[in-house]
Amino acid sequence: MKFSLMFFVLFSCAKKSSSEKFSKIVINEDIQKNDTIKLLSKYPELQNVFRKNENDKKRSAYILQTLIFNSKNSSLYNKKEYFDNYISEVKKVGDTLEIALNNNNGYFGNGILIKCFNGNYFIKNFDPNVLHNKQKLVDYELLKEKLILNRSDLKKGDSIFGFINYTCKVRNYYSKNMTGYFKSKID
């Protein structure tokens, strides 16, 4: 009886933390020399009438996201949607670096939050159904992920350059793939 109760508790804890799988950050100091990163500095931000933030004047991410709806209960079954209007915002909170890659326009959004610390990271998905600039995170089933940053010893005021390749299944309704580069200044 004790063994089965202990197994159940361990299994429950393991299941709960599966969406917070820690992975190793890849460091590549030459990533800022990538052609896409260089182009990000030249392109103006995508026009968005809902944005009021002064920091959004320049495009800070070139990420292509593909959503594949796979719920048979949805009218969007097996339909693909593409998004490339992402903004990167990076904050340093204590010893944790929080990288938000999102395309929120004030009414809906669809992106990810990457939390980095001690050379490791985990990713959470923003819920696209939350309105009025609020953020809510949803669980997912991880299929693959890779994060490359230009440095590991980043602090407030530093520039950050990175690459993300991330695929997951969200709530069994759709699969999400995000691939691309981002840059930002750490707040």
Side-chain angles (χ1 to χ4, degrees):
M1 180 69 172
K2 287 181 184 180
F3 178 74
S4 61
L5 180 60
M6 186 172 74
F7 178 76
F8 175 74
V9 170
L10 288 174
F11 179 74
S12 297
C13 292
K15 187 175 181 181
K16 183 177 182 182
S17 64
S18 67
S19 65
E20 290 185 8
K21 178 183 176 277
F22 299 99
S23 297
K24 207 74 163 138
I25 298 170
V26 176
I27 303 298
N28 179 353
E29 295 175 4
D30 292 331
I31 196 167
Q32 62 198 44
K33 296 176 185 174
N34 180 282
D35 291 340
T36 303
I37 295 282
K38 289 178 185 177
L39 286 173
L40 284 173
S41 300
K42 296 178 182 178
Y43 288 144
E45 178 50 63
L46 297 173
Q47 294 299 313
N48 191 329
V49 295
F50 301 110
R51 289 198 181 275
K52 297 194 176 14
N53 188 346
E54 290 299 316
N55 294 329
D56 292 341
K57 290 183 179 174
K58 291 196 170 202
R59 185 174 186 155
S60 56
Y62 184 77
I63 295 171
L64 178 62
Q65 176 184 329
T66 308
L67 289 179
I68 302 173
F69 296 92
N70 49 21
S71 172
K72 291 183 180 178
N73 298 328
S74 171
S75 62
L76 301 173
Y77 184 60
N78 284 335
K79 181 178 179 188
K80 289 185 179 183
E81 294 287 334
Y82 298 97
F83 302 94
D84 69 353
N85 56 342
Y86 279 83
I87 301 292
S88 65
E89 297 177 67
V90 183
K91 293 189 286 189
K92 184 84 171 187
V93 181
D95 63 345
T96 303
L97 191 66
E98 294 183 354
I99 304 168
L101 303 172
N102 205 350
N103 63 353
N104 190 312
N105 65 11
Y107 293 99
F108 63 89
N110 191 23
I112 59 174
L113 176 66
I114 307 168
K115 291 195 173 200
C116 307
F117 50 92
N118 294 334
N120 296 304
Y121 70 96
F122 69 89
I123 298 175
K124 287 289 210 170
N125 285 281
F126 289 121
D127 188 341
N129 299 321
V130 178
L131 301 176
H132 306 297
N133 283 330
K134 295 185 180 180
Q135 293 180 344
K136 180 180 174 189
L137 302 170
V138 295
D139 288 329
Y140 61 93
E141 177 187 343
L142 178 66
L143 301 175
K144 81 175 175 184
E145 65 183 351
K146 182 176 186 176
L147 175 67
I148 300 173
L149 297 178
N150 61 318
R151 294 180 13 209
S152 61
D153 58 336
L154 294 160
K155 58 189 180 299
K156 287 184 180 184
D158 285 349
S159 292
I160 183 172
F161 302 93
F163 171 80
I164 185 74
N165 187 359
Y166 170 72
T167 305
C168 72
K169 187 181 280 190
V170 179
R171 295 182 183 158
N172 290 327
Y173 296 135
Y174 60 90
S175 299
K176 177 194 286 191
N177 177 270
M178 294 178 71
T179 303
Y181 292 87
F182 60 91
K183 71 178 182 84
S184 190
K185 193 168 191 174
I186 301 173
D187 291 336

